[in-house]
């Protein structure tokens, strides 16, 4: 199917195949991958502009939430390795049949014995005593436990637990912008699509072809645009691809700028990401920004949770393996 795609020329396809083969040779073997950008790597592999713009960029910028000239090559190669090379099933996508909120809903957790969720209870401070965490304070209430897993975004950690002495120098965020458009009539029958050579990267048909969600990852350049400018940009680009959108009336629009969507997967970050264990025996870290082995993604966050849970189980003298390593 790759050889048949019309948006790439023969030269582009050959170049991409050569570079994908190089991923197989270099991923996990070449030391500099965490110190160079993905764009530098692609230029080294002499990728034509169209191959970069229409293959590497759409695949990698969405997966890693960073531009090619800022993303560490390591993460880009990892995506290609896992998606195309590591196993014959790597291309398969699992699509949940229900929203995540339902899949992990609070009531389901509460059916498990000895699990209690306290929602909307932000922790203000972790209290340390005698070289260990002794409690967390939330809205004046104190709660104590044997172990504390801090799974907050990295920028929150210093305020909650300065005792950990974490240094986030050099860490940056990478934004994601979502634009929801509601038209007065269906403008597409496609469930979703990637727009090539445009600012919009993806659109998703949220309901009956009338409610369209547009997504732009690594959307740093859009942060200064006004809401109305973003809506016009999305409308204009959609209209180029969807003829029905030209005459349809826009009934409503909603813009969500997630300025701190993920940490920025810059060169050098892999070495900075901390492991689950901290200098305190009963305090563990989790989150997509910790050393999960994955770029900043939901899967990375899940993996970090497994690693933190393994560390707790081991500290209790009952080691368990939850983490499934990537295919070798
Ligand atoms: C718009 C958008 C689209 C995305 N799309 C994708 C995608 O398609 N695929 C993908 O894999 N990833 C995607 N991501 C990235 C993904 O959402 C993150 O990588 C993932 O959610 C990180 O999980 P986490 O548990 O580390 O952090 P979070 O999901 O940020 O969870 C941290 C939690 O800590 C809570 N918290 C903060 N402070 C406190 C406190 N003081 N006390 C208690 N709790 C606190 C927060 O409320 C939050 O619930 C997207 C992100 C955004 C913003």
């Amino acid at each position: 199917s790759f050889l048949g795609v019309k948006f790439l020329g023969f030269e582009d396809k050959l170049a991409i195949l050569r570079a994908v083969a190089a991923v197989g040779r270099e991923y996990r073997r070449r030391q500099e991958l965490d110190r160079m950008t993905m764009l530098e790597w692609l230029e080294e592999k002499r990728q034509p502009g169209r191959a970069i713009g229409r293959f590497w960029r759409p695949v990698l910028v969405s997966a890693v939430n960073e531009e090619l000239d800022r993303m560490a090559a390591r993460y880009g190669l990892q995506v290609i390795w896992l998606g195309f090379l590591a196993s014959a099933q790597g291309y398969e996508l699992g699509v949940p049949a229900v929203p995540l909120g339902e899949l992990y809903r609070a009531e389901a957790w509460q059916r498990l014995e000895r699990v209690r969720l306290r929602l909307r209870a932000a922790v203000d401070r972790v209290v340390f005593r005698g070289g260990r965490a002794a409690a967390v304070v939330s809205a004046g209430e104190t709660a104590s436990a044997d172990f504390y897993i801090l799974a907050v975004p990295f920028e929150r950690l210093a305020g909650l637990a300065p005792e950990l002495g974490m240094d986030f120098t050099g860490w940056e965020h990478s934004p994601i912008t979502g634009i929801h458009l509601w038209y007065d009539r269906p403008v597409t029958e496609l469930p979703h699509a990637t727009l090539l050579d445009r600012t919009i990267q993806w659109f998703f048909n949220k309901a009956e072809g009338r409610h369209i969600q547009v997504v732009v990852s690594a959307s740093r350049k859009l942060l200064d645009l006004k809401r109305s400018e973003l809506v016009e940009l999305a409308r204009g680009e959609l209209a180029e691809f969807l003829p029905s959108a030209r005459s349809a009336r826009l009934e409503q629009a909603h813009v969500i700028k997630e300025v701190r969507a993920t940490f920025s997967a810059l060169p050098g970050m892999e070495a900075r990401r901390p492991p689950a264990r901290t200098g305190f025996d009963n305090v563990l870290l989790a989150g997509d920004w910790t050393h999960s082995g994955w770029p900043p993604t939901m899967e990375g966050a899940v993996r970090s949770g497994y690693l933190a849970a393994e560390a707790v189980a081991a500290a209790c003298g009952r080691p368990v393996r939850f983490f499934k390593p990537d295919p070798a």
Side-chain angles (χ1 to χ4, degrees), residues 49-62:
R50 190 162 53 175
I52 292 178
R54 294 188 164 191
F55 176 78
W56 297 102
R57 194 165 180 271
V59 173
L60 296 180
V61 172
S62 320

Side-chain angles (χ1 to χ4, degrees), residues 20-39:
V20 170
V23 170
R25 291 192 300 276
E26 294 185 21
Y27 179 61
R28 287 201 183 122
R29 296 201 182 96
R30 189 172 164 190
Q31 297 302 318
E32 308 94 86
L33 292 178
D34 189 39
R35 294 195 291 272
M36 67 197 298
T37 68
M38 190 64 203
L39 188 62

Side-chain angles (χ1 to χ4, degrees), residues 62-63 65 121-125 151-153 156 160 176-178 213 215 217 256 258 260-262 286-289 295-302 304:
S62 320
N65 190 33
V123 170
D124 303 313
R125 191 76 172 80
V152 295
R156 297 290 177 93
L160 287 185
I176 299 180
T177 299
Q213 180 188 8
V215 179
S217 296
I256 305 169
E258 292 278 4
R260 294 173 168 177
T262 65
D288 67 352
W289 54 276
T297 49
M298 289 189 277
E299 178 66 19
V302 169
S304 77

Side-chain angles (χ1 to χ4, degrees), residues 78-319:
Q78 183 176 15
V79 171
I80 300 297
W81 166 258
L82 290 174
F84 293 87
L85 298 172
S87 76
Q89 292 80 37
Y91 70 94
E92 290 177 0
L93 295 180
V95 181
V98 293
L100 281 181
E102 208 174 306
L103 202 58
Y104 292 106
R105 65 184 195 281
E107 304 84 71
W109 284 107
Q110 281 169 357
R111 276 206 299 273
L112 295 174
E113 224 181 301
R114 303 174 67 189
V115 172
R116 288 288 167 271
L117 295 187
R118 292 181 55 185
L119 302 175
R120 305 204 179 284
V123 170
D124 303 313
R125 191 76 172 80
V126 181
V127 180
F128 289 83
R129 216 172 287 130
R132 292 170 64 78
V136 291
V137 180
S138 171
E141 274 187 51
T142 301
S144 297
D146 296 327
F147 292 91
Y148 300 81
I149 300 179
L150 309 185
V152 295
F154 73 87
E155 70 275 7
R156 297 290 177 93
L157 203 63
L160 287 185
E163 290 81 355
L164 294 180
M166 308 270 320
D167 178 10
F168 290 109
T169 311
W171 288 65
E172 293 180 29
H173 288 98
S174 185
I176 299 180
T177 299
I179 305 163
H180 292 259
L181 302 173
W182 285 266
Y183 291 95
D184 66 343
R185 68 196 83 160
V187 295
T188 183
E189 288 178 353
L190 295 172
H192 57 84
T194 310
L195 305 192
L196 298 176
D197 309 329
R198 297 293 182 283
T199 304
I200 292 179
Q201 292 154 353
W202 299 82
F203 78 69
F204 298 90
N205 179 349
K206 301 293 279 186
E208 299 156 5
R210 290 182 53 219
H211 173 191
I212 307 294
Q213 180 188 8
V214 160
V215 179
V216 185
S217 296
S219 59
R220 208 166 279 105
K221 289 184 186 135
L222 302 185
L223 289 183
D224 291 335
L225 293 191
K226 287 193 228 124
R227 178 187 170 283
S228 56
E229 291 171 325
L230 287 169
V231 171
E232 273 320 301
L233 175 83
R235 267 185 90 175
E237 291 195 355
L238 278 181
E240 288 182 62
F241 291 86
L242 307 173
S244 323
R246 289 174 207 155
S247 50
R249 194 167 56 82
L250 189 68
E251 292 186 327
Q252 202 187 326
H254 185 53
V255 174
I256 305 169
K257 289 184 193 174
E258 292 278 4
V259 178
R260 294 173 168 177
T262 65
F263 78 86
S264 174
L266 296 163
M269 286 310 293
E270 195 58 12
R272 291 193 179 115
R273 295 169 75 182
R277 288 176 197 275
T278 67
F280 295 83
D281 287 349
N282 67 341
V283 181
L284 290 308
L285 301 176
D288 67 352
W289 54 276
T290 61
H291 203 271
S292 71
W294 267 54
T297 49
M298 289 189 277
E299 178 66 19
V302 169
R303 286 170 167 253
S304 77
Y306 288 157
L307 291 169
E310 283 181 9
V312 171
C316 293
R318 283 179 293 174

